[in-house]
Amino acid sequence: MKKQGGNFVLKYLKAWWLGNGTYNRYNLSRILLMLLYIAAIFTITAFVSAGNIESDDMSGFFVAFGIAPGFLIGGAMGFYRFDKPSAVSLVPISYKKKCLCDFIVMVLLHALCVAYIAVLMSLFGILLPGLISLSEGMPFFETTGQLFNAKYNACGVLFYLFLYILIFGAGAVLSYIRKNGFRVIFTVVFTVAVCLYTFLLTGLGGGKMPDGNFSVNTDLTAIAGGWAALLVIALAACGMLACYVYMSLKFHKPKNY
Amino acid sequence: MNALEIKNLTVDYGKFKLDGVNLGIKKGCITGLIGRNGSGKSTLIKAIMRQVDATGEILYDGKRFSNDEEGMSKRVACVFDRPFFSTRVKASRVAGYYKCAYENFDEERYKQLMARFELPENQRIYRYSFGMQRKFCLVLELCRNPEVLILDEPTAGVDPFDRQAVISLIQEFMMDENHTVLFSTHITEDLDAVADYIVMLEKGKKTLDSEKNGLLESYRLVHCPEMTPQLEKIAINPIKSAFGYSFLTTDKEISGENLNVKTPTVEELFLGFIGDGSAPDDVFGGGRQ
């Protein structure tokens, strides 16, 4: 008999793909594919339209719309829940290794989403100026109202990161409230809500009053500066990852029976 | 010697509770698990496989599962009531996972069994019929050469011909005296064929745990046109039908005119215990411990 077997990471990844990745009950792979498809359409639309728009105020709208799918996937990952019996819960590796692999997979998925957002922001030419102004300690919203048209201040970078975490958190909270009731309908409702939210915020952010001033964003100026906001984001991201460790341990740690 | 020792196992779902089950699964034997829908069979199996939160103790070969988590999960295999992996993928991909996850996975045997059950390897699992999916899951678990095989209704939805083949597979598995099977089913004919022990659950409690042949021999199934006061005294859960009455009794010497007496099958025993559904919670006073 030929000896089989692979290392624990490979075992976990194969189990993850067979279970959480493609399990027909959760349709995670189909949700991801659908979101990537939407992302592609948004991105193309954003590029095509941005080239025809002269107003700087409008470009932020398309950036936000283009990167929305990155947020949506983040939100969908907030919905992610552990389930038993599943391929992952039955994979024959120790619970510590399962937790480690869970963590790596989650971090990688989040990194992919953030990388997607970052790539799109850099394509629109707002990532680098944003980071430079962030490193110079420029405050948020130096120019009132330029929420998404943030070519020369830090708000674009920080706002998008913060929004990503917020959306993930909202997904997780909804999943928690529903407890064992992960439902595709929630993802759909959530996706629509996020799209509307992004659309409204962008629209409002880009909307000029007749006197030349913008109509919203004054509340957000309360955030003192880029570094403070970055700290908040970093803490939120750490909290998010800590939650994953906790959930993973809770799920995989052998019961004392 | 018990391959699996279950002590005071309790699973509380709120609406349903598996209540303090004590059970010893004999090594080298097939134990049949019977009970009505919702009696706790699948919950018990999930608890043994540590897939639900429970209290109590489960020992495998006298050791706790958590002592050697990795080794135990390789030695104990389970066919759940539904596939635990995606059915959107091809069978060959699932087999690929098993090859990777289990060092002992016997690829040659896998190919043989897939051919024997006429299961196409390059087909997506959702395109299999329900019965084919059950067979596929069983083939996978058998080919990883476990010591204990736990089956949650492995013959449900399987046609009689293949059901016989599944039973034969289980019997082949039991050729090794170190192997053990716990087998939950509603098709009690299967247990007539292979089971050594019978365990019955009712409303989350164990109501019967006995060696099968001895159990069947200790009862008689009686059919009679009329119930007399004498028969009422010895009858367990008599059931009335258009043709008269039928009941179980422990009186092995029972005879008489118009009485049709025979040794019951597992199904008849099961129905006899349950009666019209109003059977006492524990017809054996707690069962064998």
Side-chain angles (χ1 to χ4, degrees):
Chain A
M1 187 175 71
K2 194 177 146 193
K3 202 83 174 163
Q4 310 283 355
N7 69 46
F8 77 93
V9 178
L10 199 62
K11 285 178 188 178
Y12 177 91
L13 288 177
K14 284 197 171 193
W16 188 88
W17 183 246
L18 280 182
N20 301 60
T22 52
Y23 196 21
N24 55 3
R25 205 167 137 202
Y26 305 114
N27 275 321
L28 189 61
S29 63
R30 279 198 265 176
I31 292 169
L32 286 176
L33 281 174
M34 180 192 78
L35 292 175
L36 286 173
Y37 174 73
I38 296 168
I41 291 175
F42 280 173
T43 309
I44 293 164
T45 313
F47 268 109
V48 171
S49 305
N52 298 327
I53 301 291
E54 287 183 6
S55 166
D56 279 349
D57 294 336
M58 289 302 289
S59 62
F61 169 82
F62 293 109
V63 178
F65 222 50
I67 65 176
F71 295 132
L72 300 185
I73 295 171
M77 280 163 63
F79 274 121
Y80 180 93
R81 74 182 181 89
F82 297 97
D83 195 47
K84 285 180 178 177
S86 66
V88 167
S89 76
L90 290 163
V91 66
I93 58 175
S94 72
Y95 85 95
K96 285 177 186 166
K97 288 174 183 168
K98 280 183 200 171
C99 291
L100 178 69
C101 292
D102 270 345
F103 191 74
I104 291 170
V105 165
M106 278 298 133
V107 169
L108 279 178
L109 282 173
H110 280 299
L112 277 174
C113 286
V114 174
Y116 167 76
I117 294 169
V119 165
L120 213 69
M121 285 172 74
S122 62
L123 286 175
F124 277 91
I126 63 168
L127 184 67
L128 199 59
L131 286 174
I132 290 168
S133 59
L134 182 66
S135 68
E136 289 168 355
M138 274 186 81
F140 259 22
F141 309 116
E142 196 174 52
T143 311
T144 309
Q146 291 191 336
L147 183 59
F148 289 100
N149 186 18
K151 280 193 176 177
Y152 303 108
N153 64 35
C155 79
V157 179
L158 292 180
F159 181 76
Y160 288 136
L161 278 174
F162 197 60
L163 187 63
Y164 179 82
I165 288 171
L166 279 181
I167 289 171
F168 168 83
V173 167
L174 276 177
S175 177
Y176 179 77
I177 291 169
R178 291 293 302 164
K179 218 170 177 180
N180 292 330
F182 175 94
R183 296 284 183 274
V184 175
I185 188 71
F186 269 86
T187 310
V188 174
V189 168
F190 195 64
T191 304
V192 170
V194 170
C195 278
L196 279 173
Y197 174 68
T198 312
F199 177 79
L200 279 174
L201 216 73
T202 313
L204 291 171
K208 273 185 178 178
M209 300 293 280
D211 60 3
N213 291 324
F214 284 86
S215 58
V216 289
N217 301 334
T218 48
D219 290 347
L220 294 172
T221 54
I223 300 172
W227 291 114
L230 196 61
L231 185 68
V232 171
I233 289 165
L235 284 174
C238 287
M240 213 160 96
L241 296 177
C243 278
Y244 272 129
V245 174
Y246 170 74
M247 281 164 62
S248 187
L249 276 170
K250 191 167 178 270
F251 179 74
H252 291 302
K253 196 172 179 190
K255 307 288 178 298
N256 196 27
Y257 73 89
Chain B
M1 187 188 173
N2 288 331
L4 282 170
E5 184 86 38
I6 297 159
K7 294 179 182 172
N8 201 25
L9 188 74
T10 300
V11 181
D12 195 349
Y13 286 147
K15 287 178 185 170
F16 172 79
K17 191 175 180 184
L18 190 67
D19 204 1
V21 172
N22 291 291
L23 187 61
I25 309 293
K26 292 270 183 290
K27 195 170 198 167
C29 297
I30 298 178
T31 302
L33 188 58
I34 56 173
R36 301 175 75 181
N37 290 329
S39 60
K41 300 186 298 296
S42 294
T43 304
L44 176 64
I45 286 172
K46 282 178 189 161
I48 294 172
M49 294 306 293
R50 307 163 66 74
Q51 298 298 305
V52 289
D53 288 336
T55 57
E57 198 170 26
I58 297 175
L59 303 175
Y60 174 80
D61 261 351
K63 293 174 201 156
R64 282 193 168 209
F65 210 94
S66 48
N67 289 355
D68 177 17
E69 201 190 343
E70 219 165 315
M72 297 294 189
S73 55
K74 284 177 185 166
R75 279 182 276 175
V76 182
C78 181
V79 177
F80 290 97
D81 52 357
R82 67 187 73 177
F84 60 81
F85 42 79
S86 169
T87 53
R88 311 294 304 178
V89 294
K90 287 182 180 174
S92 53
R93 179 165 283 198
V94 183
Y97 160 69
Y98 271 75
K99 278 181 224 169
C100 171
Y102 300 101
E103 289 82 3
N104 292 335
F105 189 82
D106 189 339
E107 198 172 356
E108 284 168 31
R109 184 160 163 73
Y110 166 74
K111 287 191 184 301
Q112 280 172 8
L113 292 177
M114 289 295 277
R116 182 165 152 188
F117 283 124
E118 296 175 2
L119 297 168
E121 275 192 75
N122 286 320
Q123 193 162 310
R124 293 185 193 278
I125 298 160
Y126 75 92
R127 292 197 183 278
Y128 283 177
S129 69
F130 182 72
M132 288 166 88
Q133 289 184 13
R134 309 293 298 145
K135 287 186 284 182
F136 178 61
C137 292
L138 178 63
V139 166
L140 288 170
E141 298 299 336
L142 277 173
C143 290
R144 71 181 181 86
N145 287 311
E147 288 172 15
V148 177
L149 185 60
I150 299 174
L151 306 163
D152 194 355
E153 298 189 42
T155 50
V158 178
D159 66 62
F161 181 79
D162 280 340
R163 225 178 74 213
Q164 196 49 52
V166 167
I167 296 297
S168 301
L169 264 187
I170 295 169
Q171 285 171 322
E172 280 171 34
F173 176 76
M174 290 305 295
M175 296 294 277
D176 186 329
E177 60 186 20
N178 289 319
H179 286 175
T180 306
V181 169
L182 175 64
F183 184 172
S184 136
T185 187
H186 287 294
I187 304 167
T188 46
E189 278 173 46
D190 298 341
L191 298 182
D192 280 317
V194 295
D196 300 304
Y197 288 88
I198 302 286
V199 174
M200 189 162 95
L201 292 178
E202 189 63 23
K203 295 175 186 167
K205 289 182 179 173
K206 186 181 78 175
T207 52
L208 167 68
D209 179 359
S210 181
E211 191 268 320
K212 185 194 76 181
N213 291 335
L215 179 73
L216 296 181
E217 279 305 319
S218 59
Y219 285 89
R220 292 292 178 268
L221 180 70
V222 181
H223 296 283
C224 59
E226 288 293 331
M227 278 299 266
T228 62
Q230 279 172 324
L231 290 176
E232 269 176 14
K233 280 182 192 167
I234 58 166
I236 300 171
N237 297 323
I239 300 169
K240 190 181 179 187
S241 70
F243 303 102
Y245 291 85
S246 59
F247 60 86
L248 288 174
T249 177
T250 50
D251 182 357
K252 287 187 270 184
E253 306 303 321
I254 186 169
S255 62
E257 241 181 88
N258 297 327
L259 291 185
N260 182 357
V261 182
K262 65 167 194 157
T263 306
T265 61
V266 174
E267 179 152 319
E268 286 162 345
L269 202 69
F270 174 50
L271 291 172
F273 289 157
I274 298 293
D276 58 2
S278 58
D281 280 348
D282 188 347
V283 287
F284 288 89
R288 179 173 60 88
Q289 297 297 316

